Amino acid sequence: MGCGSSTESSDGHHQRQASLLGGEKEEKGVGSREKHQLISPSLAYCLLQDVPTHSVIFFDARDSDAYERHHIREAVHPWAHKGADEAKFREWLRNVTRLRTVVIYSDASDTASQGSGSSSGVGGLLDWLSSSQARPKEVLIVKGGLQAFSRRFGFCVVRGSKGRGRRKQPSVPLPTPSEIIAPKRSGRGFALYVCGEGVLKNSPQSVRLLRVRTVVNLTQRPCPLDRKPRVVHLSCYDKAELPYDEAARVVRSSQQRNRAVLVYDHSGDVHSAAVVVWFMVEQGTSVSAAMAHVKRKRGSVQFDSYVTSTLTRLEEAVKQGGHGLATRPKMVAPQLQRDAQAQLTQGTVTPAPETAQPPPGSSLQLPPPPPPPSHTQDSTPRAATQAVTRPNGTPPLNHQSSLGTDMSSGAAGLYSKVDDMILRLKSSLPPDEYQECIRTVSRLFTNVLAHATDDKYRSVRMANERFMAAVGRHPTAIELLVLGGFVRNAAAETYQLPQAALLQKLRDINSRLLLHTQG
């Protein structure tokens, strides 16, 4: 797929774009029942990574025997909750699907057009969702059913006691790499994956099972894989010019060799996502379409405004036949670091004293925070988490905090606020207390999301010994609760989450907490 030219027709541009995104276009469902869309097994696999955050729920619409034989991991069998009381079943459907993405699958022959008026199957489940007046975010149906999904992602399928005669798949912990571009053949050929460094540490088997032949490492650390494929190390940290073009060139080489490639950074949401968009734009996809596609496959990605503007200039260069190095834009320091430079220039950030600065040419590291007076609360001042400055007074480019994230603690946005709070906790607590603290907060959020209408899970007593030991005595942990929407009820001596609180915000915060508990 070559680059576009100024004389190329729009039809040719769209053909190349459709070729690159082949198999990922969603199809609208029809009929009077619950609105739905058909999705590829690849997108279903990507959405499976979000199940632990309670933003997605998978429904297996087959009968109980088929479900017991094998099913997609984390999938719920809705018919197990259907008893004689239909009103309770409808209430259960409303509760578990509220504002969540619902993914439904069955056998390959079972489609939404079948089963109307039935008590089972895809069509029957759609009818039940409609009659229960459920309010899901969206309803998606896996094209080809479990068979098509298993052919590509068998390691995400659980086989029960009735399937002992079949070859068991290895146990691979979630999350696994997100498949941004799926192979045209069944699991073979060029494919493009993205993940964070923690995924390679926790789920190295997934890289082999996805047949990845080349890994692009955008961190400043060695690749953690024991059985390494070909690794290309292009660090995006402490660089005045980010190597997005070089990384995209490696991806392009894998495409020409018809091999799968994986790109990763610390979180999998910033540099790696930008490299993928860079590659797609070079192939003729528009910036807006590429970003929308990447965010659909990996909802947590973030695109800085400066990165977006540079990608837009790349798109213009491609349209003008600008594959030459002389005409392609350079990706220099992201806007987040330019904002930090502006703050420094205006005097809002005080440079560190000369004695605290590293000598010229040395690698920059975040200085260890001063030891807190005790481990009873996270009392480390915020200033202790600020990055050191360069000898010439400029802040470090793409400075990497000890959290292993790609965003600086001062960046705007919900994730950055959560990262800042977690950094303060990590700097002031022993490792075991720190882990127990964020895990307890995550459990509180998870229980609320799993039981959205049950007030019992929306309240925690201040006098609860376990809560006080893990969370209540740490002010920053209480800030996390408040950020999620919890309010203090002094009269009842509880922290409560009002029914009007936004559950999506709670999901977003919890997804960040889960990321750090895995690190």
Side-chain angles (χ1 to χ4, degrees):
M1 290 176 288
C3 71
S5 66
S6 58
T7 60
E8 183 183 39
S9 68
S10 60
D11 289 342
H13 173 78
H14 291 310
Q15 287 174 358
R16 286 200 323 277
Q17 181 167 309
S19 176
L20 188 62
L21 306 181
E24 300 308 321
K25 186 176 181 181
E26 298 172 12
E27 304 172 24
K28 288 273 187 172
V30 295
S32 59
R33 58 183 55 172
E34 186 71 24
K35 293 181 180 179
H36 58 274
Q37 293 176 314
L38 293 178
I39 63 170
S40 66
S42 175
L43 180 53
Y45 161 76
C46 290
L47 292 172
L48 185 62
Q49 315 304 316
D50 293 329
V51 169
T53 68
H54 291 276
S55 60
V56 178
I57 184 170
F58 273 64
F59 279 151
D60 188 318
R62 302 171 303 153
D63 59 44
S64 58
D65 287 341
Y67 177 82
E68 289 297 329
R69 282 195 298 271
H70 55 289
H71 59 269
I72 295 177
R73 63 192 305 174
E74 311 295 341
V76 176
H77 191 234
W79 311 126
H81 297 265
K82 182 178 176 294
D85 192 337
E86 294 185 354
K88 286 187 177 181
F89 181 55
R90 289 189 174 93
E91 182 183 6
W92 177 81
L93 282 175
R94 285 195 298 271
N95 291 341
V96 299
T97 62
R98 184 185 178 201
L99 301 179
R100 298 168 84 176
T101 294
V102 176
V103 181
I104 304 174
Y105 70 89
S106 184
D107 295 319
S109 59
D110 185 3
T111 64
S113 61
Q114 297 175 337
S116 180
S118 171
S119 60
S120 62
V122 173
L125 186 53
L126 290 175
D127 288 338
W128 277 107
L129 286 171
S130 180
S131 65
S132 66
Q133 298 182 341
R135 296 178 58 190
K137 179 181 178 182
E138 57 183 341
V139 177
L140 310 173
I141 299 176
V142 181
K143 192 173 183 178
L146 182 60
Q147 289 90 330
F149 184 90
S150 299
R151 282 195 296 268
R152 289 287 332 280
F153 310 106
F155 57 89
C156 292
V157 174
V158 176
R159 303 191 184 277
S161 58
K162 295 185 180 181
R164 287 177 181 171
R166 302 187 181 186
R167 181 173 62 88
K168 290 188 176 181
Q169 298 292 340
S171 175
V172 179
L174 292 177
T176 53
S178 301
E179 186 175 75
I180 307 300
I181 298 179
K184 292 183 179 180
R185 292 187 295 165
S186 180
R188 298 183 181 275
F190 171 69
L192 180 52
Y193 299 92
V194 163
C195 71
E197 186 179 31
V199 171
L200 299 187
K201 294 178 180 178
N202 297 329
S203 186
Q205 314 98 304
S206 61
V207 177
R208 176 176 56 83
L209 293 170
L210 291 170
R211 298 186 174 93
V212 172
R213 303 291 295 274
T214 301
V215 172
V216 181
N217 177 6
L218 300 180
T219 74
Q220 74 275 48
R221 295 189 283 261
C223 179
L225 293 175
D226 293 331
R227 300 174 61 181
K228 293 183 177 65
R230 173 177 174 249
V231 178
V232 179
H233 195 178
L234 297 169
S235 175
C236 284
Y237 298 88
D238 289 332
K239 300 287 185 180
E241 183 178 320
L242 302 181
Y244 288 2
D245 185 54
E246 292 88 339
R249 195 177 303 130
V250 176
V251 175
R252 195 160 57 249
S253 174
S254 295
Q255 181 191 38
Q256 293 169 352
R257 296 181 180 183
N258 206 28
R259 294 178 176 178
V261 58
L262 180 146
V263 183
Y264 80 93
D265 57 25
H266 288 287
S267 69
D269 297 333
V270 181
H271 295 303
S272 54
V275 166
V276 171
V277 174
W278 187 287
F279 163 75
M280 294 175 69
V281 169
E282 285 187 331
Q283 302 301 302
T285 306
S286 67
V287 172
S288 58
M291 285 185 172
H293 177 78
V294 173
K295 285 188 71 67
R296 181 58 162 160
K297 287 299 194 76
R298 189 175 177 87
S300 57
V301 299
Q302 305 171 51
F303 295 107
D304 176 73
S305 59
Y306 179 75
V307 172
T308 303
S309 65
T310 305
L311 288 168
T312 302
R313 287 189 285 119
L314 174 66
E315 180 183 359
E316 292 301 318
V318 170
K319 288 180 179 179
Q320 297 170 10
H323 262 303
L325 290 175
T327 58
R328 277 189 287 183
K330 302 293 184 182
M331 183 63 73
V332 294
Q335 187 65 42
L336 291 176
Q337 302 303 330
R338 294 192 168 192
D339 291 343
Q341 172 65 40
Q343 291 178 352
L344 185 66
T345 304
Q346 296 166 7
T348 56
V349 177
T350 304
E354 286 294 328
T355 56
Q357 297 172 359
S362 66
S363 60
L364 289 169
Q365 298 291 336
L366 187 69
S374 69
H375 292 307
T376 57
Q377 64 179 18
D378 52 306
S379 55
T380 304
R382 182 184 296 265
T385 66
Q386 292 181 347
V388 297
T389 56
R390 294 176 183 268
N392 61 5
T394 61
L397 299 175
N398 296 293
H399 185 80
Q400 174 63 23
S401 74
S402 60
L403 281 176
T405 64
D406 293 283
M407 304 292 287
S408 63
S409 61
L414 181 64
Y415 282 168
S416 299
K417 291 180 182 178
V418 176
D419 286 351
D420 178 62
M421 293 177 185
I422 292 176
L423 177 58
R424 287 152 58 191
L425 286 168
K426 190 173 185 179
S427 300
S428 60
L429 298 177
D432 56 342
E433 290 187 23
Y434 156 74
Q435 283 291 333
E436 182 61 24
C437 178
I438 59 174
R439 282 173 181 161
T440 302
V441 175
S442 178
R443 277 196 295 268
L444 289 172
F445 289 179
T446 298
N447 286 336
V448 171
L449 294 169
H451 309 277
T453 59
D454 194 335
D455 289 337
K456 178 177 69 174
Y457 295 96
R458 289 175 169 260
S459 177
V460 57
R461 292 183 297 107
M462 299 179 191
N464 184 299
E465 293 183 3
R466 185 175 179 181
F467 171 77
M468 283 302 299
V471 178
R473 63 195 180 111
H474 306 306
T476 302
I478 297 300
E479 286 183 45
L480 273 172
L481 286 180
V482 173
L483 184 64
F486 279 80
V487 294
R488 180 175 179 175
N489 186 331
E493 295 186 345
T494 59
Y495 286 99
Q496 297 176 338
L497 183 71
Q499 284 289 343
L502 296 176
L503 294 184
Q504 186 57 51
K505 185 177 182 181
L506 208 64
R507 290 190 186 100
D508 291 340
I509 297 174
N510 197 37
S511 67
R512 210 62 180 173
L513 292 174
L514 289 170
L515 176 67
H516 290 293
T517 59
Q518 296 162 2

